[in-house]
Amino acid sequence: MNDKLPKDMNVLIIDDEERICVLIQYFIEEAFPFNSVVFALNPQMALQKIQNQYFDLMIVDVVLSGKTGIDFIKQVKLFPKLSKVKFLLISGFLEQHHAQQAIEMGIKDILVKPFSRVQLISKVSSILKIEHEEAIEMINNAKGKLKS
Amino acid sequence: MNSKFLYYDQLFSPTLVLDDKFKIVYFNYQASIFFKLPPRVLKQKEKVKELIQSEEFSITDWLSSFTEEQGTLLSPEIGLTLTHDQNTRYDGVLKLCTIQVDQTKFMALFIHDLSIEKKLYNKYREQLEELKNSHEQVMQADKLKTIGELTASISHEINNPLTIAIGNSEIIDVLISSPLNSKNVSIINSSNQVISESLERINQIIKNMMSFLHKSEEDKEFCNIESVINNAVEWISPANFNVTIEKEFVTKNCVALVNKTKMEQVFINLIKNSIDAFTEAKIYTGKLKLKITQLDLERHIIIDIIDNGPGIPTDLRENIFTPFFTTKKSGAGTGLGLSICSKIIESHHGTIELMPTTSGTHFRIQLPMIEGYTYSRNNSVFRGQASGKQKKILVLNNEVEILNILSQIFKAENYIFIGSTDPQHALDFLNKADLDLIITDYSMPKMTGDIFAQKCREMGFLGPIMYMTSAKYIEKYNQDKDKEHLKIQGVIVQPFTKEEVLKAIKTAITGESA
């Protein structure tokens, strides 16, 4: 999916805690030159935003009031136009059945709270295959540790 | 040995007869068995103190005090040991009566050995304590289970503010090494603020958990049932994703004497059961209603917990309060929740029942408005001597805090405290118990103190009535105290100290002029 440049990409964040949405938005906007980074506080709001805009990446909290984040993702995947959308799950507490469902749906990227800024950036980086120097540095550090 | 006392040989009690010099002139067969001495040895003992002694009681002093008395003297219950055998302790009572034989005065000393009864009583107390401990452990286990089941949601609750705090701290990290323009400074300031708030949030969550686990089981206090329900709903909210909880407080300010933590436990249990039922049936739009009503004529607060969920199958309904009965899969539920709830409600002299419904689930809890059960005339016989000596005081005041403060003061002084916020209920209660004193607030919304006092008198209450009031209404006391139909014996002025209250009460009860 490297045809698209970051400046044409859009990211959607869905978490019922507004401060967390704002935080993630701040970090991503600061690290990447995306077209837009927006957030929604619940699945209904998110669905509305999806009507108006295409998102390349959706960062979804596993636990949202009313539905689980995973049910929301299942809904999104039903739209053919959105089949190429990438997902990043974030979770306050990862329960077994959540992890299982995620794997069954082919989502392998999960961030567990509390996560650091660098962890977030690396994940976004790797999912959208965008290079980011800090991400590279983190990977190199990890490799370095492995070698020694 | 004096043959005149031979008929004492028929008695089961070990008996000694003493002359006026406290010398033993006769003993019966049981006495020689009790003292474990053959008769010829026993004959040689001259004084009682050569035979028995007691650590907590001087037998010779007691005997000496008797010389002027007539009739029968009963000692307190004491521990006795035999002089020649210190290893065995008897628990008993000594009884002494004067007898006159041929113009000579003698004293018969009977020993009532209560050792067996005492042992049984101690055993009974021990087992009661054990039972109480087991019960406490079960209650604690239930609490731990509740917290355990909520681990996921508690973690989630803590991880959110933690993420925010860490994230904002990283923002500050980045900005501090950047040029310090006013925009950055303002972001740093707001991030700092956010970090403080997030950490305080975490602190609060942990505090709530700790207080839920460790709060004492014993204390009952007057509290507002609405606040108990609100707390329970808030407590369970992190685990609630699929149920809309509606609160309908038809009657406001329902106050009852309850143990807050235990009552919260009851509501948390019931709400959680409802949420679990919805989750298992995969319903994400469930509704649960919590309703408080109190009908004027009823002496109960009625709390209804109604949901529109799958309901409980009719064939299982009669078993739900049985311990260890559960329909959840092994490991998911212990089946103790509802049985514990029903025990808690019982200990508050209330009832909990599953109402018949064709759909959904409806629990109804009833709690007494005024906790007077323990002190009503009918029950006093079980309290035995205790209620005879303790003074029963009824306090009528619509402020819950005052009831709680007075309740604490009275407990320390061994007065029995009966509190109420409702004049009508207090009046209904007058018939049920022999009250020694009534203290009424003067300015109450439903009825002023003087009207209440008048009604008490009309109902035939002859004991002392006192006002409790702020300095503003002290004039009312001065006006009313001499009124024949009221007979107000005293006044407690707010704010009051503990000493002032106790002094005023003592004066009123003993009948001295104020």
Side-chain angles (χ1 to χ4, degrees):
Chain A
M1 260 306 291
N2 272 334
D3 312 328
K4 232 176 171 184
L5 291 172
K7 68 178 175 65
D8 298 318
M9 289 186 182
N10 299 312
V11 178
L12 174 64
I13 306 160
I14 310 161
D15 190 310
D16 54 1
E17 182 90 44
E18 188 174 339
R19 279 198 175 142
I20 291 198
C21 289
V22 167
L23 192 66
I24 298 177
Q25 183 189 43
Y26 181 90
F27 284 149
I28 294 181
E29 279 180 340
E30 197 235 357
F32 301 100
F34 292 135
N35 177 46
S36 72
V37 180
V38 298
F39 63 81
L41 299 178
N42 54 55
Q44 294 88 316
M45 270 175 75
L47 286 170
Q48 276 184 326
K49 294 216 189 284
I50 290 172
Q51 315 277 8
N52 302 329
Q53 203 176 10
Y54 180 82
F55 293 101
D56 303 88
L57 169 65
M58 295 191 198
I59 302 177
V60 185
D61 189 344
V62 162
V63 165
L64 299 166
S65 341
K67 292 185 191 167
T68 63
I70 296 195
D71 288 332
F72 168 76
I73 296 176
K74 279 188 191 160
Q75 254 194 313
V76 170
K77 284 196 174 235
L78 293 175
F79 295 103
K81 283 193 190 160
L82 303 177
S83 61
K84 294 264 167 59
V85 173
K86 304 271 199 271
F87 295 96
L88 169 62
L89 282 177
I90 48 179
S91 163
F93 182 87
L94 198 60
E95 291 196 68
Q96 227 181 9
H97 61 271
H98 289 147
Q100 208 169 351
Q101 279 182 298
I103 294 171
E104 281 167 10
M105 294 198 329
I107 301 172
K108 54 178 175 55
D109 296 290
I110 303 178
L111 259 188
V112 179
K113 293 176 193 167
F115 49 78
S116 71
R117 189 185 128 255
V118 173
Q119 284 175 313
L120 173 67
I121 294 173
S122 312
K123 280 287 187 192
V124 172
S125 205
S126 84
I127 295 174
L128 294 177
K129 300 200 177 41
I130 302 169
E131 285 187 4
H132 190 279
E133 53 182 51
E134 283 183 72
I136 295 175
E137 195 183 305
M138 188 173 130
I139 295 173
N140 284 339
N141 284 340
K143 280 188 186 162
K145 282 187 184 140
L146 280 175
K147 277 192 186 153
S148 55
Chain B
M1 270 229 302
N2 205 321
S3 60
K4 299 208 188 327
F5 303 111
L6 277 178
Y7 48 83
Y8 281 137
D9 268 353
Q10 304 304 314
L11 290 180
F12 283 124
S13 307
T15 307
L16 304 173
V17 179
L18 314 173
D19 65 10
D20 53 4
K21 308 251 182 331
F22 305 141
K23 191 168 158 209
I24 300 173
V25 300
Y26 164 84
F27 57 86
N28 72 355
Y29 177 63
Q30 284 296 330
S32 93
I33 294 185
F34 176 78
F35 290 111
K36 296 186 186 155
L37 292 171
R40 60 172 174 76
V41 175
L42 193 47
K43 237 189 250 190
Q44 287 157 26
K45 305 280 180 191
E46 291 236 313
K47 305 263 194 231
V48 168
K49 66 172 190 223
E50 288 172 38
L51 289 171
I52 53 179
Q53 60 190 53
S54 167
E55 267 175 24
E56 63 233 62
F57 177 79
S58 161
I59 292 174
T60 37
D61 286 349
W62 182 66
L63 287 174
S64 312
S65 75
F66 195 57
T67 41
E68 297 308 314
E69 302 272 340
Q70 294 295 321
T72 312
L73 194 64
L74 211 54
S75 82
E77 196 183 301
I78 50 178
L80 307 165
T81 45
L82 304 183
T83 330
H84 58 278
D85 171 17
Q86 299 278 311
N87 296 329
T88 320
R89 181 198 149 105
Y90 300 90
D91 286 289
V93 180
L94 302 176
K95 184 151 103 178
L96 196 63
C97 335
T98 44
I99 28 179
Q100 192 139 329
V101 178
D102 296 339
Q103 315 299 329
T104 329
K105 272 200 187 149
F106 293 96
M107 290 185 277
L109 179 67
F110 305 99
I111 301 170
H112 289 301
D113 177 10
L114 298 170
S115 307
I116 294 177
E117 285 94 329
K118 193 79 189 208
K119 278 204 189 89
L120 282 174
Y121 175 71
N122 285 339
K123 197 89 203 255
Y124 159 73
R125 288 300 297 260
E126 260 173 50
Q127 298 202 321
L128 211 55
E129 273 304 305
E130 267 180 46
L131 205 58
K132 202 168 147 199
N133 282 339
S134 302
H135 176 69
E136 295 286 322
Q137 282 177 19
V138 164
M139 298 286 284
Q140 191 68 357
D142 183 64
K143 277 190 188 169
L144 289 174
K145 178 205 85 164
T146 308
I147 291 206
E149 285 177 1
L150 296 175
T151 304
S153 31
I154 293 174
S155 292
H156 181 264
E157 271 297 288
I158 293 182
N159 277 332
N160 269 3
L162 203 54
T163 309
I164 295 169
I166 291 178
N168 276 277
S169 143
E170 290 183 303
I171 292 178
I172 294 180
D173 246 347
V174 168
L175 290 180
I176 281 214
S177 41
S178 313
L180 272 184
N181 56 39
S182 65
K183 175 172 169 230
N184 285 353
V185 166
S186 118
I187 296 180
I188 290 178
N189 277 330
S190 77
S191 289
N192 200 21
Q193 179 69 19
V194 167
I195 292 173
S196 291
E197 284 171 18
S198 302
L199 294 179
E200 183 49 43
R201 228 171 103 185
I202 297 176
N203 193 21
Q204 201 51 49
I205 293 169
I206 295 177
K207 270 193 193 160
N208 284 346
M209 261 208 310
M210 297 299 272
S211 89
F212 179 69
L213 270 185
H214 295 302
K215 191 93 183 289
S216 160
E217 293 288 316
E218 295 296 318
D219 317 318
K220 281 190 186 164
E221 50 177 336
F222 289 93
C223 42
N224 198 311
I225 298 292
E226 291 154 42
S227 75
V228 175
I229 291 184
N230 283 334
N231 284 344
V233 170
E234 201 185 297
W235 217 96
I236 201 91
S237 70
N240 177 18
F241 308 114
N242 47 356
V243 181
T244 315
I245 297 182
E246 184 192 320
K247 291 176 261 182
E248 190 183 323
F249 298 150
V250 176
T251 316
K252 308 269 186 264
N253 290 323
C254 278
V255 171
L257 181 64
V258 296
N259 179 298
K260 248 198 221 170
T261 311
K262 277 189 184 172
M263 285 310 296
E264 275 176 27
Q265 203 174 337
V266 168
F267 292 118
I268 289 174
N269 251 306
L270 291 172
I271 297 172
K272 183 148 193 309
N273 279 352
S274 176
I275 293 176
D276 289 343
F278 279 118
T279 308
E280 203 183 302
K282 296 210 194 317
I283 301 173
Y284 294 106
T285 50
K287 281 201 179 47
L288 174 67
K289 185 197 277 203
L290 296 153
K291 183 167 151 185
I292 304 180
T293 4
Q294 187 246 312
L295 306 170
D296 276 330
L297 296 174
E298 291 285 317
R299 267 188 235 102
H300 285 98
I301 303 175
I302 301 169
I303 304 153
D304 289 300
I305 301 113
I306 311 171
D307 72 33
N308 64 350
I312 299 174
T314 28
D315 55 337
L316 299 178
R317 285 187 193 189
E318 57 175 15
N319 285 328
I320 51 169
F321 292 111
T322 314
F324 305 113
F325 177 80
T326 179
T327 54
K328 291 184 180 162
K329 291 196 269 288
S330 158
T334 54
L336 281 174
L338 279 178
S339 78
I340 288 182
C341 289
S342 79
K343 285 281 177 292
I344 293 176
I345 302 284
E346 253 175 56
S347 76
H348 286 89
H349 305 292
T351 56
I352 175 170
E353 48 183 323
L354 178 65
M355 307 296 280
T357 47
T358 43
S359 70
T361 307
H362 178 182
F363 280 101
R364 173 166 284 188
I365 295 176
Q366 294 197 51
L367 292 173
M369 283 285 294
I370 175 169
E371 176 60 10
Y373 246 97
T374 343
Y375 314 119
S376 68
R377 209 175 275 144
N378 297 331
N379 284 347
S380 67
V381 68
F382 295 114
R383 293 232 127 190
Q385 294 153 328
S387 56
K389 300 239 172 76
Q390 287 176 301
K391 300 293 177 193
K392 298 187 210 59
I393 306 176
L394 170 68
V395 178
L396 177 60
N397 193 307
N398 59 316
E399 279 178 73
V400 167
E401 295 75 24
I402 297 206
L403 289 180
N404 281 328
I405 293 172
L406 287 175
S407 167
Q408 289 304 316
I409 294 177
F410 286 17
K411 207 183 286 186
E413 294 296 313
N414 218 19
Y415 291 131
I416 295 181
F417 174 87
I418 303 158
S420 174
T421 53
D422 189 291
Q424 193 49 53
H425 289 114
L427 287 171
D428 292 340
F429 190 74
L430 274 180
N431 288 327
K432 277 186 160 184
D434 286 321
L435 295 167
D436 296 289
L437 169 65
I438 296 179
I439 303 176
T440 170
D441 189 14
Y442 185 82
S443 53
M444 292 181 290
K446 286 190 188 168
M447 193 189 286
T448 48
D450 53 346
I451 308 288
F452 176 74
Q454 186 178 342
K455 288 187 191 270
C456 290
R457 295 296 178 208
E458 282 166 11
M459 285 178 75
F461 179 71
L462 297 169
I465 300 181
M466 292 174 72
Y467 282 165
M468 177 178 296
T469 174
S470 57
K472 195 160 63 155
Y473 289 106
I474 197 154
E475 258 315 295
K476 297 286 178 187
Y477 164 68
N478 287 327
Q479 288 168 5
D480 291 346
K481 69 176 178 210
D482 294 319
K483 287 189 186 158
E484 264 308 304
H485 66 286
L486 294 177
K487 292 214 205 51
I488 308 293
Q489 257 96 345
V491 66
I492 297 173
V493 183
Q494 284 165 247
F496 48 77
T497 63
K498 180 173 151 185
E499 289 72 27
E500 284 166 9
V501 168
L502 291 174
K503 184 158 169 240
I505 288 173
K506 207 162 167 206
T507 312
I509 288 184
T510 55
E512 293 158 21
S513 52

